[in-house]
Amino acid sequence: DGGITQSPKYLFRKEGQNVTLSCEQNLNHDAMYWYRQDPGQGLRLIYYSQIVNDFQKGDIAEGYSVSREKKESFPLTVTSAQKNPTAFYLCASSIQGNTYEQYFGPGTRLTVT
Amino acid sequence: RKEVEQDPGPFNVPEGATVAFNCTYSNSASQSFFWYRQDCRKEPKLLMSVYSSGNEDGRFTAQLNRASQYISLLIRDSKLSDSATYLCVVNWGVIGGGTSYGKLTFGQGTILTVHP
């Protein structure tokens, strides 16, 4: 089955530690995105990548880093510099072109204490 | 003013009711419009795209008014399974390089609860 997978579903970390969230897709989509969602708020764009080896900052990139070494994979690292890392992180992908519809993975719920 | 604004609700309606959600957007250059549905603690899923002429998918009808920068979603004959958060989503095209990959901006969502 084609889709987007994120792992793990729940993640707990101590403050000051970096943590990497996985996102893999087998939809052959060119573009991939990372969002965070906080309670009662809409999704906010962290980073996006249009093609392999290229990525751009979104609206709230501070404290995060990404890589895009393979078309299928777009991991997100939440660094210790991110002041409020506890959130629901969602990865999405879309095909190149005019449709703009994005398809989401199941998300990773990160809790930092 | 928020880029995409929705009434957060919650809307509590009985089964069989008709309910309408509204959404306004601030950027007149917006090109594409969507409604996504998000169940509690799950990822958003595309419900339907919104076209200028309006479009219908079963019990769901979406309307777009570009002049007023306004989008609506109408749900007829509500079912218990319609209970979810409905996200209004707007795209205004190019993020970079002249190729549009769809920078989506999400509203905060409208909560719908359908009760027996």
Side-chain angles (χ1 to χ4, degrees), chain A residues 40-88:
Chain A
Q41 297 192 33
L43 279 67
R44 293 183 290 167
L45 182 65
I46 304 172
Y47 267 98
Y48 61 93
S49 168
Q50 298 178 6
I51 55 172
V52 174
N53 293 322
D54 180 70
F55 49 83
Q56 305 294 332
K57 292 181 180 180
D59 299 321
I60 53 164
E62 185 176 349
Y64 299 98
S65 66
V66 293
S67 62
R68 187 86 186 277
E69 297 175 2
K70 298 186 300 182
K71 187 175 185 177
E72 303 80 18
S73 179
F74 190 40
L76 173 75
T77 297
V78 184
T79 74
S80 56
Q82 166 52 232
K83 291 183 171 51
N84 297 295
T86 294
F88 186 37

Side-chain angles (χ1 to χ4, degrees), chain A residues 10 30-31 33 35 37 40-43 48 50-51 59 88 90 94 96-97 99-102 104-106 109, chain B residues 31-32 34 36 38 41-44 46 49 51 87 91 93 95-97 99-104 106-108:
Chain A
Y10 298 96
D30 289 301
Y33 312 82
Y35 295 89
Q37 187 175 34
Q41 297 192 33
L43 279 67
Y48 61 93
Q50 298 178 6
I51 55 172
D59 299 321
F88 186 37
L90 288 154
S94 66
Q96 181 177 345
T99 61
Y100 305 122
E101 294 156 355
Q102 294 181 13
F104 287 84
R109 203 164 291 275
Chain B
Q31 297 181 4
S32 306
F34 309 94
Y36 277 73
Q38 186 174 23
R41 302 178 75 82
K42 301 281 192 180
E43 75 274 24
L46 180 66
S49 301
Y51 304 119
L87 304 173
N91 160 271
I95 337 178
T99 303
S100 297
Y101 280 92
K103 181 185 186 301
L104 301 184
F106 290 76
Q108 79 271 36

